[in-house]
Amino acid sequence: MLPRTTGLRGAAFHALRELEADQPIAAIRAGLASTFDDVRVRAVEALIPLARTSVIAAGLIADALRDSHPNVRRRAFAALCDVAPDASAAVRTALARGTADVRAEALLYLAFKAKAADVASRRLIADAFDDDDAGVRTSAFFAALGQR
């Protein structure tokens, strides 16, 4: 039953976007306000093409870094990486606006996926050693190792 209702919610969100085609952000905001995480994930995904030209859409992606569900936060970080000018910019935003799990993921992404070892990236990782969360500090340690 659950996959069927997930599909129905997805179809309803798609229909809402079609009805509100002249104001796409309005439909996406409604999706982001849904109580269902799968709809919020779809809403974040819908922001990606808009975020390249809309500051509002990019801001909504950054806001989703604090969502109550980890799937939405993960998808928001991935979307941020897609639309940010570079890996450091995406990580800076995640470190400033994300929850602890997003901040930890961002540090590991910077060192191991983006393989960034420039001065700015090293500074982001070094600053994370002062984070309030132990998991973020641990990720900073592993990221610093990965940059070596």
Side-chain angles (χ1 to χ4, degrees):
M1 175 104 169
L2 184 61
R4 186 171 161 181
T5 57
T6 300
L8 287 173
R9 287 192 299 267
F13 178 65
H14 179 71
L16 178 62
R17 288 186 58 213
E18 296 262 327
L19 289 171
E20 298 286 339
D22 58 329
Q23 295 181 336
I25 296 287
I28 293 170
R29 282 184 194 264
L32 290 170
S34 172
T35 57
F36 299 101
D37 65 288
D38 59 301
V39 175
R40 295 194 310 273
V41 166
R42 288 175 195 265
V44 168
E45 291 169 350
L47 287 166
I48 295 170
L50 300 174
R52 300 182 202 292
T53 57
S54 168
V55 176
I56 294 170
L60 290 172
I61 290 173
D63 290 345
L65 295 171
R66 291 191 191 120
D67 190 271
S68 62
H69 198 280
N71 289 343
V72 179
R73 294 191 302 266
R74 263 188 238 109
R75 186 61 186 113
F77 179 65
L80 188 61
C81 292
D82 287 345
V83 301
D86 58 47
S88 291
V91 171
R92 257 192 311 280
T93 301
L95 291 174
R97 298 183 68 178
T99 58
D101 61 322
V102 170
R103 296 192 311 271
E105 181 180 348
L107 293 167
L108 296 173
Y109 169 85
L110 187 64
F112 294 104
K113 180 122 174 149
K115 299 193 185 303
D118 56 89
V119 174
S121 299
R122 288 180 187 271
R123 177 85 273 158
L124 287 172
I125 290 172
D127 289 347
F129 281 107
D130 292 329
D131 196 279
D132 291 338
D133 185 81
V136 174
R137 293 191 303 271
T138 301
S139 290
F141 172 76
F142 286 118
L145 289 177
Q147 286 184 322
R148 304 271 180 253

